[in-house]
Amino acid sequence: MNPTIELLKSHRSIRKFQNRRIPRELFEELIRAGQSAATSSHVQAYSIIHVVDPKNREALAELSGGQRYVAECSNFLVFCADMKRATDAAERAGADVVRGMTEQLLVASIDTALVAQNVATAAESAGLGLCYIGGIRNNPAEVSELLRLPEHVYPVFGMCLGYPDQAPEVKPRLPLASILKEDYYQSERDPELVAEFDTTMNTYYQARTGGTKDTNWSQQLKPLFTSKLRPHMRDFLRGKGFEMK
Ligand SMILES: Cc1cc2nc3c(=O)[nH]c(=O)nc-3n(C[C@H](O)[C@H](O)[C@H](O)COP(=O)(O)O)c2cc1C
């Protein structure tokens, strides 16, 4: 296996960081590597807010559900889907711009995820660790206000970056056969493959917690799909100009 594939397969989220700063030069290089990600029609529909002010870091940690590593990591980034810059540019160039299309929301969200994952991989290649923070969507309006996000820009997720102070095991993924389908969508084998994965995850949780966490993948999914998760998101996005037309 080549070193890039090895690196990708060794990913694990880091939630405990050393009290050591990432040099500015390296930090900017990670962001540049992020920018090299493919981007729909070259629109580059994202902005990255590097949150430096300690007060804002504390506020974001709280707004994300009390996730301390948001305040404690070396660098905290908020990745925003940004349809403002590109649509404003097209308008200045003379276009009669249409905003608020569902497709624009998809384009901006996908672009944002791609740039972030490039930053993540670049960071890991430099010996850094990271954790995505979807928790910022618990309170997206407050986060937007804090970061002064204008219309047509919304916070998709945050990312903690820093030097790891823990070495968690790599978390297993679903069997390839359950996510890679030949020619057509087939799900006949899913119950069997998911059961196999549940056993894998149960072993993983038991080993990681000295036998105290007796759960599996399917059990862990239950709360995600039995409550309306972040039901404010639709109105929030509409309010931000992502009207889903
Ligand atoms: C978009 C996104 C949002 C996430 N939000 C959080 C979060 O708010 N807090 C957290 O501790 N982990 C968060 N994670 C990390 C996931 O829990 C983690 O990636 C997943 O459990 C797989 O584990 P691994 O990254 O160690 O392989 C998030 C991951 C993604 C991709």
Side-chain angles (χ1 to χ4, degrees):
M1 211 56 75
N2 76 48
T4 305
I5 294 177
E6 281 305 318
L7 176 77
L8 290 166
K9 290 172 70 179
S10 67
H11 160 77
R12 67 269 190 285
S13 293
I14 295 296
R15 298 179 176 86
K16 196 168 187 294
F17 297 93
Q18 296 171 35
N19 185 15
R20 177 178 162 202
R21 311 306 302 168
I22 300 173
R24 180 73 197 188
E25 202 178 320
L26 171 59
F27 171 70
E28 288 185 6
E29 199 57 11
L30 302 179
I31 305 297
R32 276 191 208 98
Q35 284 187 277
S36 296
T39 159
S40 191
S41 309
H42 204 211
V43 169
Q44 304 169 76
Y46 47 76
S47 287
I48 305 168
I49 314 282
H50 177 211
V51 185
V52 180
D53 185 333
K55 280 199 309 297
N56 286 355
R57 289 276 292 271
E58 283 295 336
L60 287 171
E62 284 314 302
L63 289 169
S64 304
Q67 303 199 57
R68 288 305 307 155
Y69 27 99
V70 169
E72 289 163 1
C73 63
S74 170
N75 297 59
F76 185 70
L77 304 174
V78 178
F79 286 85
C80 302
D82 184 348
M83 264 298 162
K84 175 175 166 51
R85 182 193 306 110
T87 53
D88 285 359
E91 205 158 54
R92 285 195 300 274
D96 189 6
V97 163
V98 178
R99 294 188 173 87
M101 301 300 291
T102 301
E103 177 64 8
Q104 292 172 352
L105 173 63
L106 289 173
V107 162
S109 303
I110 293 165
D111 266 17
T112 305
L114 295 177
V115 70
Q117 187 54 30
N118 256 27
V119 171
T121 302
E124 289 178 334
S125 77
L128 300 168
L130 67 111
C131 187
Y132 281 89
I133 302 293
I136 64 161
R137 295 196 309 276
N138 291 352
N139 294 289
E142 289 82 350
V143 170
S144 297
E145 204 184 317
L146 194 75
L147 304 179
R148 303 181 195 165
L149 304 185
E151 239 198 334
H152 308 295
V153 178
Y154 90 93
V156 184
F157 43 68
M159 184 185 286
C160 299
L161 280 173
Y163 290 93
D165 195 23
Q166 62 178 173
E169 262 183 68
V170 169
K171 208 186 243 186
R173 295 299 196 253
L174 285 159
L176 194 74
S178 79
I179 59 113
L180 178 65
K181 303 174 192 290
E182 300 294 323
D183 285 324
Y184 306 105
Y185 191 92
Q186 303 152 55
S187 56
E188 292 78 12
R189 288 193 64 210
D190 275 358
E192 167 206 339
L193 293 166
V194 166
E196 180 191 311
F197 188 57
D198 280 339
T199 305
T200 305
M201 285 308 294
N202 182 262
T203 307
Y204 168 85
Y205 286 129
Q206 298 249 21
R208 217 179 154 183
T209 61
T212 55
K213 195 166 174 180
D214 185 16
T215 185
N216 61 38
W217 188 67
S218 300
Q219 291 295 333
Q220 292 280 99
L221 295 176
K222 279 160 61 177
L224 294 179
F225 301 118
T226 46
S227 63
K228 290 184 179 163
L229 205 62
R230 299 180 184 135
H232 50 264
M233 280 310 292
R234 189 177 62 173
D235 286 348
F236 166 73
L237 286 171
R238 288 193 167 143
K240 275 280 170 207
F242 292 96
E243 289 149 22
M244 289 172 263
K245 286 190 260 194

